[in-house]
Amino acid sequence: MPISRAPLTTTHPHGYVLVRADRKLGLLRISKNASTESKVRLDCRDWIAFDQFDGPSVAFLRDPYGRFLSSIPETMLRVTHFQIEDPSRKDRVTAPEDVYRELCAIAKLPIEQFAQAFFELVRYSFFDAHHEPQVSFLADRRGTLRLDPYLYRTSAFDQALDQIEARFGVKAVPVAQQSNKGGAKPLAGRSKPIDMARKLSGTGVYKRVEHGGPLMVRHGGGTDGPTTIREINVWCNQFTAELKRAALPASLRAGIEELYADDVALWQRIEAVGGDVPASTIWDAANAPAKGAAA
């Protein structure tokens, strides 16, 4: 597939699959590819290293352009400071100092300009797994598959679950109420009693953290500082809505598809065959997706 790839990010457990308790199936989670929903629906719970799991595995692929745009607010949500660990927030992405400073510097730009500047920053360095190339989750640095999961499309998620059930003899967990329906970040507990308990105890979305990050710079008064998870989620929802309304230039799409050329080739190939195939059957063919589509 790719001749080489950039070093792996440190914001994802690369080299591990998330495995069901019965060990009938492992899930290779690829960030921003329905990774949380697929984990829940396939009932995968335990992280096991690639070379320690000998069962079958699956992975979901996504259109690279849509995935990149979805990664922007997710990264903004989690990159709230740089380098050092912040014990007040365990889901935070630690970014290099220069990347963090630049994110804060561009935070107030008009959304179209911000999207372009964010892309330029990602082109400088893949600093978060949410925008890391999909092929990096699958391959070593020379482009050789480290694992050979069956591949499915996030755009046909329900069909994929049916195919997985039929092929591997597992039963998907029924749909539950979504806590972040439509991609929106939660602003309260899942029920009134839970919400009240968390509000009184300062936990969950009411937990106070040391840094609001670039979202706080953009929406919360212009400077970074202490805030709550709830406020960060409010700002993230505002930012996401703004990004969805933006008229982004065709040149940005072209740049994204060039940067993620290996992902584009793999996506075109999985689209052509419809999914439910081992990665190895389309890996090399993805270098020539047009020919593969005609196969």
Side-chain angles (χ1 to χ4, degrees):
M1 181 59 185
I3 296 174
S4 63
R5 61 154 171 76
L8 294 172
T9 65
T10 60
T11 63
H12 178 86
H14 286 289
Y16 286 77
V17 286
L18 197 62
V19 178
R20 289 169 55 97
D22 59 16
R23 299 302 187 260
K24 288 185 177 180
L25 190 68
L27 171 67
L28 174 59
R29 294 186 69 180
I30 299 178
S31 299
K32 297 311 300 176
N33 288 16
S35 65
T36 298
E37 186 175 4
S38 57
K39 174 194 75 171
V40 172
R41 298 295 304 280
L42 294 174
D43 199 21
C44 294
R45 307 176 184 182
D46 303 320
W47 289 108
I48 298 180
F50 286 173
D51 59 3
Q52 297 298 312
F53 180 63
D54 57 5
S57 59
V58 299
F60 286 85
L61 300 179
R62 183 176 180 179
D63 162 50
Y65 179 71
R67 178 177 180 263
F68 182 84
L69 294 186
S70 180
S71 80
I72 298 176
E74 198 71 44
T75 293
M76 289 283 282
L77 175 75
R78 299 181 191 281
V79 178
T80 54
H81 204 47
F82 61 87
Q83 295 299 88
I84 57 176
E85 183 180 1
D86 179 0
S88 71
R89 187 174 180 192
K90 295 299 184 183
D91 64 342
R92 185 176 62 87
V93 167
T94 55
E97 188 269 349
D98 59 340
V99 168
Y100 175 76
R101 297 294 185 196
E102 190 165 338
L103 276 176
C104 289
I106 66 176
K108 289 189 174 183
L109 290 175
I111 192 65
E112 295 81 6
Q113 294 179 31
F114 175 87
Q116 181 63 49
F118 183 93
F119 170 67
E120 296 299 335
L121 192 54
V122 169
R123 183 150 59 182
Y124 161 64
S125 171
F126 297 120
F127 57 91
D128 181 10
H130 292 101
H131 55 246
E132 186 170 13
Q134 296 169 74
V135 296
S136 295
F137 293 77
L138 292 156
D140 65 21
R141 68 187 183 92
R142 296 176 180 85
T144 302
L145 281 172
R146 299 181 63 194
L147 192 71
D148 192 15
Y150 274 73
L151 298 179
Y152 299 89
R153 299 169 294 165
T154 58
S155 57
F157 188 76
D158 290 335
Q159 177 190 10
L161 288 183
D162 290 341
Q163 292 171 325
I164 291 169
E165 286 183 330
R167 179 173 291 281
F168 301 106
V170 299
K171 188 67 177 175
V173 176
V175 177
Q177 183 178 0
Q178 292 176 291
S179 61
N180 61 338
K181 191 173 182 179
K185 303 307 175 187
L187 304 182
R190 289 188 299 273
S191 66
K192 287 184 178 180
I194 290 175
D195 187 52
M196 180 60 69
R198 289 180 175 176
K199 187 179 294 186
L200 292 174
S201 61
T203 57
V205 295
Y206 300 101
K207 180 182 175 72
R208 193 160 184 82
V209 294
E210 293 302 317
H211 300 280
L215 281 176
M216 188 174 189
V217 174
R218 185 177 184 88
H219 295 288
T223 57
D224 181 17
T227 186
T228 63
I229 296 293
R230 187 180 191 279
E231 282 301 312
I232 296 175
N233 286 357
V234 167
W235 299 326
C236 188
N237 291 342
Q238 293 173 349
F239 179 83
T240 301
E242 190 179 4
L243 184 63
K244 287 181 177 179
R245 292 192 302 266
L248 301 176
S251 59
L252 178 58
R253 175 187 280 271
I256 291 169
E257 292 182 348
E258 179 182 11
L259 180 63
Y260 294 91
D262 293 319
D263 282 1
V264 170
L266 191 61
W267 173 250
Q268 289 175 340
R269 183 60 181 176
I270 200 68
E271 279 273 79
V273 301
D276 196 33
V277 294
S280 57
T281 65
I282 65 170
W283 191 250
D284 293 331
N287 284 312
K291 293 180 181 179

